[in-house]
Short mmCIF file of all heavy atoms in Angstrom, two decimals:
data_model
loop_
_atom_site.label_atom_id
_atom_site.label_comp_id
_atom_site.label_asym_id
_atom_site.label_seq_id
_atom_site.Cartn_x
_atom_site.Cartn_y
_atom_site.Cartn_z
N TRP A 1 5.83 6.27 -16.24
CA TRP A 1 6.28 6.33 -14.85
C TRP A 1 6.74 4.95 -14.41
O TRP A 1 6.49 3.95 -15.08
CB TRP A 1 5.21 6.89 -13.92
CG TRP A 1 3.98 6.04 -13.69
CD1 TRP A 1 3.87 4.91 -12.94
CD2 TRP A 1 2.65 6.30 -14.20
NE1 TRP A 1 2.58 4.43 -12.94
CE2 TRP A 1 1.81 5.26 -13.70
CE3 TRP A 1 2.10 7.30 -14.99
CZ2 TRP A 1 0.47 5.21 -14.00
CZ3 TRP A 1 0.76 7.24 -15.27
CH2 TRP A 1 -0.05 6.20 -14.79
N VAL A 2 7.43 4.89 -13.28
CA VAL A 2 7.89 3.65 -12.66
C VAL A 2 7.03 3.42 -11.43
O VAL A 2 6.74 4.36 -10.67
CB VAL A 2 9.38 3.74 -12.27
CG1 VAL A 2 9.86 2.42 -11.66
CG2 VAL A 2 10.22 4.11 -13.49
N GLU A 3 6.62 2.15 -11.19
CA GLU A 3 5.66 1.87 -10.13
C GLU A 3 6.06 0.60 -9.35
O GLU A 3 6.73 -0.28 -9.87
CB GLU A 3 4.27 1.67 -10.77
CG GLU A 3 3.13 1.46 -9.77
CD GLU A 3 1.78 1.52 -10.44
OE1 GLU A 3 1.54 2.46 -11.22
OE2 GLU A 3 0.95 0.62 -10.21
N ASN A 4 5.63 0.57 -8.11
CA ASN A 4 5.68 -0.61 -7.26
C ASN A 4 7.09 -0.95 -6.78
O ASN A 4 7.59 -2.05 -6.98
CB ASN A 4 5.06 -1.83 -7.95
CG ASN A 4 4.65 -2.90 -6.94
OD1 ASN A 4 4.13 -2.59 -5.86
ND2 ASN A 4 4.89 -4.15 -7.26
N ALA A 5 7.71 0.00 -6.09
CA ALA A 5 8.96 -0.22 -5.38
C ALA A 5 8.90 0.54 -4.07
O ALA A 5 8.39 1.67 -4.02
CB ALA A 5 10.16 0.25 -6.21
N TYR A 6 9.43 -0.07 -3.02
CA TYR A 6 9.45 0.62 -1.73
C TYR A 6 10.20 1.94 -1.85
O TYR A 6 9.81 2.96 -1.24
CB TYR A 6 10.13 -0.26 -0.67
CG TYR A 6 10.28 0.44 0.67
CD1 TYR A 6 9.22 0.45 1.58
CD2 TYR A 6 11.45 1.11 1.00
CE1 TYR A 6 9.34 1.11 2.80
CE2 TYR A 6 11.58 1.77 2.21
CZ TYR A 6 10.52 1.77 3.10
OH TYR A 6 10.65 2.43 4.31
N GLU A 7 11.22 1.96 -2.66
CA GLU A 7 12.05 3.15 -2.81
C GLU A 7 11.30 4.32 -3.43
O GLU A 7 11.80 5.46 -3.42
CB GLU A 7 13.28 2.81 -3.66
CG GLU A 7 14.27 1.86 -3.00
CD GLU A 7 13.86 0.39 -3.03
OE1 GLU A 7 12.80 0.07 -3.65
OE2 GLU A 7 14.56 -0.43 -2.45
N LEU A 8 10.12 4.09 -3.96
CA LEU A 8 9.32 5.15 -4.58
C LEU A 8 8.30 5.76 -3.64
O LEU A 8 7.56 6.67 -4.04
CB LEU A 8 8.61 4.60 -5.82
CG LEU A 8 9.52 4.22 -6.99
CD1 LEU A 8 8.73 3.51 -8.08
CD2 LEU A 8 10.23 5.45 -7.56
N ILE A 9 8.21 5.27 -2.40
CA ILE A 9 7.27 5.87 -1.45
C ILE A 9 7.82 7.21 -1.00
O ILE A 9 8.71 7.29 -0.15
CB ILE A 9 7.03 4.96 -0.22
CG1 ILE A 9 6.49 3.60 -0.64
CG2 ILE A 9 6.04 5.63 0.74
CD1 ILE A 9 6.26 2.65 0.52
N ASP A 10 7.33 8.27 -1.61
CA ASP A 10 7.81 9.61 -1.25
C ASP A 10 6.68 10.61 -1.07
O ASP A 10 6.92 11.76 -0.72
CB ASP A 10 8.79 10.12 -2.31
CG ASP A 10 8.17 10.18 -3.70
OD1 ASP A 10 6.99 9.81 -3.86
OD2 ASP A 10 8.88 10.60 -4.64
N SER A 11 5.43 10.17 -1.30
CA SER A 11 4.28 11.06 -1.15
C SER A 11 3.25 10.42 -0.24
O SER A 11 3.07 9.19 -0.25
CB SER A 11 3.65 11.35 -2.52
OG SER A 11 4.56 11.99 -3.37
N SER A 12 2.56 11.24 0.53
CA SER A 12 1.49 10.73 1.38
C SER A 12 0.41 10.06 0.53
O SER A 12 0.09 10.53 -0.57
CB SER A 12 0.88 11.87 2.20
OG SER A 12 1.85 12.44 3.05
N GLY A 13 -0.13 8.95 1.04
CA GLY A 13 -1.15 8.21 0.32
C GLY A 13 -0.60 7.11 -0.56
O GLY A 13 -1.37 6.43 -1.25
N GLU A 14 0.72 6.89 -0.55
CA GLU A 14 1.32 5.83 -1.36
C GLU A 14 1.55 4.57 -0.54
O GLU A 14 1.79 4.64 0.67
CB GLU A 14 2.65 6.30 -1.97
CG GLU A 14 2.49 7.34 -3.05
CD GLU A 14 3.76 7.60 -3.83
OE1 GLU A 14 4.86 7.51 -3.23
OE2 GLU A 14 3.67 7.91 -5.03
N TRP A 15 1.51 3.42 -1.22
CA TRP A 15 1.67 2.13 -0.55
C TRP A 15 2.51 1.18 -1.40
O TRP A 15 2.67 1.38 -2.60
CB TRP A 15 0.31 1.48 -0.26
CG TRP A 15 -0.46 1.08 -1.49
CD1 TRP A 15 -1.29 1.87 -2.24
CD2 TRP A 15 -0.48 -0.21 -2.11
NE1 TRP A 15 -1.81 1.16 -3.30
CE2 TRP A 15 -1.34 -0.12 -3.24
CE3 TRP A 15 0.13 -1.43 -1.83
CZ2 TRP A 15 -1.60 -1.21 -4.08
CZ3 TRP A 15 -0.13 -2.51 -2.68
CH2 TRP A 15 -0.98 -2.38 -3.78
N TYR A 16 3.04 0.16 -0.72
CA TYR A 16 3.84 -0.86 -1.42
C TYR A 16 3.71 -2.17 -0.67
O TYR A 16 3.82 -2.22 0.56
CB TYR A 16 5.31 -0.44 -1.47
CG TYR A 16 6.24 -1.55 -1.92
CD1 TYR A 16 6.25 -2.00 -3.24
CD2 TYR A 16 7.11 -2.18 -1.02
CE1 TYR A 16 7.09 -3.03 -3.66
CE2 TYR A 16 7.96 -3.20 -1.43
CZ TYR A 16 7.94 -3.62 -2.74
OH TYR A 16 8.77 -4.64 -3.14
N LEU A 17 3.45 -3.26 -1.43
CA LEU A 17 3.40 -4.61 -0.87
C LEU A 17 4.67 -5.36 -1.24
O LEU A 17 4.95 -5.55 -2.43
CB LEU A 17 2.17 -5.36 -1.40
CG LEU A 17 2.11 -6.86 -1.05
CD1 LEU A 17 2.01 -7.06 0.46
CD2 LEU A 17 0.94 -7.53 -1.76
N ASN A 18 5.44 -5.76 -0.24
CA ASN A 18 6.60 -6.62 -0.47
C ASN A 18 6.10 -8.06 -0.47
O ASN A 18 5.83 -8.65 0.58
CB ASN A 18 7.65 -6.41 0.62
CG ASN A 18 8.94 -7.16 0.33
OD1 ASN A 18 8.92 -8.26 -0.23
ND2 ASN A 18 10.07 -6.57 0.71
N ARG A 19 5.95 -8.64 -1.67
CA ARG A 19 5.37 -9.97 -1.78
C ARG A 19 6.29 -11.04 -1.19
O ARG A 19 5.83 -12.13 -0.82
CB ARG A 19 5.08 -10.30 -3.25
CG ARG A 19 4.00 -9.44 -3.87
CD ARG A 19 3.68 -9.91 -5.29
NE ARG A 19 3.43 -8.78 -6.16
CZ ARG A 19 3.65 -8.78 -7.47
NH1 ARG A 19 4.15 -9.86 -8.05
NH2 ARG A 19 3.40 -7.73 -8.20
N SER A 20 7.58 -10.74 -1.10
CA SER A 20 8.53 -11.72 -0.57
C SER A 20 8.44 -11.85 0.95
O SER A 20 8.50 -12.96 1.49
CB SER A 20 9.96 -11.33 -0.97
OG SER A 20 10.09 -11.28 -2.37
N THR A 21 8.28 -10.73 1.63
CA THR A 21 8.26 -10.73 3.10
C THR A 21 6.85 -10.68 3.67
O THR A 21 6.65 -10.99 4.85
CB THR A 21 9.04 -9.54 3.65
OG1 THR A 21 8.38 -8.32 3.26
CG2 THR A 21 10.47 -9.53 3.13
N GLY A 22 5.87 -10.27 2.85
CA GLY A 22 4.51 -10.13 3.34
C GLY A 22 4.24 -8.84 4.08
O GLY A 22 3.18 -8.67 4.69
N TYR A 23 5.16 -7.89 4.01
CA TYR A 23 4.94 -6.59 4.67
C TYR A 23 4.30 -5.60 3.69
O TYR A 23 4.74 -5.46 2.54
CB TYR A 23 6.25 -6.01 5.20
CG TYR A 23 6.63 -6.55 6.56
CD1 TYR A 23 7.70 -7.44 6.69
CD2 TYR A 23 5.92 -6.20 7.71
CE1 TYR A 23 8.04 -7.96 7.94
CE2 TYR A 23 6.26 -6.70 8.95
CZ TYR A 23 7.32 -7.57 9.07
OH TYR A 23 7.65 -8.08 10.30
N LEU A 24 3.27 -4.92 4.18
CA LEU A 24 2.59 -3.88 3.44
C LEU A 24 2.97 -2.54 4.06
O LEU A 24 2.89 -2.36 5.27
CB LEU A 24 1.07 -4.08 3.52
CG LEU A 24 0.17 -2.98 2.96
CD1 LEU A 24 0.36 -2.83 1.46
CD2 LEU A 24 -1.30 -3.29 3.28
N TYR A 25 3.40 -1.60 3.23
CA TYR A 25 3.87 -0.29 3.70
C TYR A 25 2.92 0.79 3.21
O TYR A 25 2.40 0.73 2.09
CB TYR A 25 5.28 -0.01 3.17
CG TYR A 25 6.31 -1.02 3.63
CD1 TYR A 25 6.52 -2.20 2.91
CD2 TYR A 25 7.07 -0.80 4.77
CE1 TYR A 25 7.46 -3.13 3.33
CE2 TYR A 25 8.02 -1.73 5.19
CZ TYR A 25 8.20 -2.89 4.46
OH TYR A 25 9.12 -3.82 4.88
N TYR A 26 2.72 1.81 4.03
CA TYR A 26 1.81 2.90 3.67
C TYR A 26 2.26 4.19 4.36
O TYR A 26 2.62 4.18 5.53
CB TYR A 26 0.37 2.56 4.08
CG TYR A 26 -0.63 3.65 3.77
CD1 TYR A 26 -0.94 3.99 2.45
CD2 TYR A 26 -1.25 4.36 4.79
CE1 TYR A 26 -1.84 4.99 2.17
CE2 TYR A 26 -2.17 5.37 4.51
CZ TYR A 26 -2.46 5.68 3.20
OH TYR A 26 -3.35 6.68 2.91
N LYS A 27 2.22 5.27 3.59
CA LYS A 27 2.54 6.60 4.11
C LYS A 27 1.23 7.38 4.23
O LYS A 27 0.63 7.76 3.21
CB LYS A 27 3.51 7.31 3.16
CG LYS A 27 4.00 8.67 3.63
CD LYS A 27 5.03 9.23 2.63
CE LYS A 27 5.43 10.65 2.96
NZ LYS A 27 6.20 10.73 4.24
N PRO A 28 0.73 7.59 5.44
CA PRO A 28 -0.63 8.14 5.61
C PRO A 28 -0.75 9.57 5.08
O PRO A 28 0.21 10.35 5.05
CB PRO A 28 -0.83 8.13 7.13
CG PRO A 28 0.22 7.22 7.68
CD PRO A 28 1.37 7.30 6.72
N LEU A 29 -1.97 9.87 4.67
CA LEU A 29 -2.32 11.25 4.36
C LEU A 29 -2.41 12.05 5.66
O LEU A 29 -2.58 11.49 6.75
CB LEU A 29 -3.67 11.30 3.63
CG LEU A 29 -3.73 10.65 2.24
CD1 LEU A 29 -5.19 10.55 1.78
CD2 LEU A 29 -2.90 11.43 1.24
N THR A 30 -2.31 13.35 5.54
CA THR A 30 -2.45 14.21 6.71
C THR A 30 -3.79 13.96 7.40
O THR A 30 -4.84 13.94 6.74
CB THR A 30 -2.36 15.69 6.29
OG1 THR A 30 -1.10 15.90 5.65
CG2 THR A 30 -2.46 16.60 7.50
N GLY A 31 -3.74 13.70 8.68
CA GLY A 31 -4.96 13.47 9.45
C GLY A 31 -5.37 12.03 9.56
O GLY A 31 -6.28 11.70 10.34
N GLU A 32 -4.74 11.13 8.79
CA GLU A 32 -5.08 9.71 8.90
C GLU A 32 -4.39 9.09 10.11
O GLU A 32 -3.18 9.26 10.31
CB GLU A 32 -4.68 8.95 7.63
CG GLU A 32 -5.64 9.17 6.48
CD GLU A 32 -5.23 8.41 5.22
OE1 GLU A 32 -4.05 8.01 5.10
OE2 GLU A 32 -6.10 8.23 4.35
N ASN A 33 -5.17 8.35 10.89
CA ASN A 33 -4.66 7.65 12.08
C ASN A 33 -4.68 6.16 11.77
O ASN A 33 -5.75 5.57 11.60
CB ASN A 33 -5.56 7.98 13.28
CG ASN A 33 -5.06 7.34 14.56
OD1 ASN A 33 -4.31 6.37 14.54
ND2 ASN A 33 -5.49 7.89 15.69
N MET A 34 -3.50 5.55 11.75
CA MET A 34 -3.43 4.16 11.31
C MET A 34 -3.98 3.18 12.35
O MET A 34 -4.14 2.00 12.05
CB MET A 34 -1.99 3.79 10.94
CG MET A 34 -1.45 4.58 9.74
SD MET A 34 -2.60 4.62 8.33
CE MET A 34 -2.59 2.90 7.83
N THR A 35 -4.25 3.63 13.54
CA THR A 35 -4.89 2.74 14.52
C THR A 35 -6.40 2.68 14.30
O THR A 35 -7.05 1.73 14.75
CB THR A 35 -4.60 3.21 15.95
OG1 THR A 35 -5.12 4.53 16.13
CG2 THR A 35 -3.10 3.21 16.23
N THR A 36 -6.94 3.67 13.61
CA THR A 36 -8.39 3.69 13.39
C THR A 36 -8.77 3.65 11.91
O THR A 36 -9.94 3.45 11.58
CB THR A 36 -9.01 4.95 14.01
OG1 THR A 36 -8.39 6.12 13.44
CG2 THR A 36 -8.81 4.97 15.52
N ALA A 37 -7.80 3.82 11.01
CA ALA A 37 -8.11 3.85 9.58
C ALA A 37 -8.66 2.50 9.12
O ALA A 37 -8.19 1.44 9.54
CB ALA A 37 -6.86 4.21 8.78
N ALA A 38 -9.66 2.54 8.25
CA ALA A 38 -10.19 1.32 7.64
C ALA A 38 -9.40 1.05 6.37
O ALA A 38 -9.57 1.74 5.36
CB ALA A 38 -11.68 1.49 7.33
N VAL A 39 -8.52 0.04 6.42
CA VAL A 39 -7.65 -0.29 5.29
C VAL A 39 -8.10 -1.64 4.73
O VAL A 39 -8.12 -2.63 5.46
CB VAL A 39 -6.17 -0.35 5.71
CG1 VAL A 39 -5.29 -0.64 4.51
CG2 VAL A 39 -5.76 0.96 6.39
N ILE A 40 -8.45 -1.66 3.46
CA ILE A 40 -8.97 -2.87 2.84
C ILE A 40 -8.16 -3.20 1.60
O ILE A 40 -7.97 -2.36 0.71
CB ILE A 40 -10.46 -2.72 2.47
CG1 ILE A 40 -11.30 -2.49 3.74
CG2 ILE A 40 -10.96 -3.96 1.73
CD1 ILE A 40 -12.77 -2.27 3.48
N ALA A 41 -7.67 -4.44 1.54
CA ALA A 41 -6.98 -4.96 0.36
C ALA A 41 -7.92 -5.91 -0.37
O ALA A 41 -8.40 -6.88 0.23
CB ALA A 41 -5.70 -5.68 0.77
N PRO A 42 -8.21 -5.67 -1.64
CA PRO A 42 -9.08 -6.59 -2.39
C PRO A 42 -8.29 -7.84 -2.77
O PRO A 42 -7.25 -7.75 -3.40
CB PRO A 42 -9.48 -5.79 -3.62
CG PRO A 42 -8.35 -4.83 -3.82
CD PRO A 42 -7.78 -4.53 -2.46
N THR A 43 -8.79 -9.00 -2.37
CA THR A 43 -8.04 -10.24 -2.59
C THR A 43 -8.79 -11.28 -3.42
O THR A 43 -8.19 -12.21 -3.94
CB THR A 43 -7.64 -10.87 -1.24
OG1 THR A 43 -8.80 -11.00 -0.42
CG2 THR A 43 -6.63 -9.99 -0.51
N LEU A 44 -10.11 -11.13 -3.57
CA LEU A 44 -10.89 -12.04 -4.40
C LEU A 44 -10.95 -11.47 -5.82
O LEU A 44 -11.06 -10.26 -6.00
CB LEU A 44 -12.30 -12.19 -3.82
CG LEU A 44 -13.16 -13.37 -4.31
CD1 LEU A 44 -12.51 -14.70 -3.98
CD2 LEU A 44 -14.55 -13.28 -3.68
N GLN A 45 -10.87 -12.33 -6.83
CA GLN A 45 -10.88 -11.84 -8.21
C GLN A 45 -12.27 -11.83 -8.84
O GLN A 45 -12.52 -11.04 -9.74
CB GLN A 45 -9.91 -12.66 -9.07
CG GLN A 45 -8.46 -12.50 -8.65
CD GLN A 45 -7.49 -13.00 -9.72
OE1 GLN A 45 -7.30 -12.34 -10.74
NE2 GLN A 45 -6.90 -14.15 -9.49
N THR A 46 -13.17 -12.70 -8.39
CA THR A 46 -14.54 -12.71 -8.92
C THR A 46 -15.50 -12.72 -7.75
O THR A 46 -15.47 -13.63 -6.91
CB THR A 46 -14.80 -13.95 -9.80
OG1 THR A 46 -13.78 -14.02 -10.80
CG2 THR A 46 -16.15 -13.85 -10.48
N LEU A 47 -16.36 -11.71 -7.67
CA LEU A 47 -17.34 -11.63 -6.59
C LEU A 47 -18.56 -12.49 -6.90
O LEU A 47 -19.02 -13.25 -6.05
CB LEU A 47 -17.77 -10.18 -6.38
CG LEU A 47 -16.67 -9.19 -5.98
CD1 LEU A 47 -17.21 -7.77 -5.98
CD2 LEU A 47 -16.10 -9.55 -4.62
N LEU A 48 -19.08 -12.36 -8.12
CA LEU A 48 -20.28 -13.09 -8.53
C LEU A 48 -20.06 -13.64 -9.92
O LEU A 48 -19.65 -12.92 -10.83
CB LEU A 48 -21.51 -12.17 -8.51
CG LEU A 48 -22.79 -12.71 -9.16
CD1 LEU A 48 -23.25 -13.99 -8.50
CD2 LEU A 48 -23.89 -11.65 -9.09
#
């Protein structure tokens, strides 16, 4: 499969990070409210 392009966001639950602009895109699942959804991006590589 091909992965990680904005042009591939065609299904609910998919996301894409544009590393050049810093914009993160997401197509919510049915019933998800983006004003209340808990969205977490893991950014640390070693916890302990």
Side-chain angles (χ1 to χ4, degrees):
W1 68 74
V2 182
E3 184 170 312
N4 200 40
Y6 176 84
E7 292 79 4
L8 292 172
I9 301 179
D10 59 359
S11 299
S12 297
E14 290 191 327
W15 66 275
Y16 168 71
L17 171 63
N18 187 325
R19 294 185 218 152
S20 301
T21 64
Y23 276 108
L24 172 64
Y25 300 87
Y26 178 67
K27 184 177 173 67
L29 295 169
T30 301
E32 283 180 341
N33 182 339
M34 296 312 293
T35 61
T36 58
V39 182
I40 297 177
T43 53
L44 196 61
Q45 295 196 74
T46 308
L47 299 173
L48 169 58

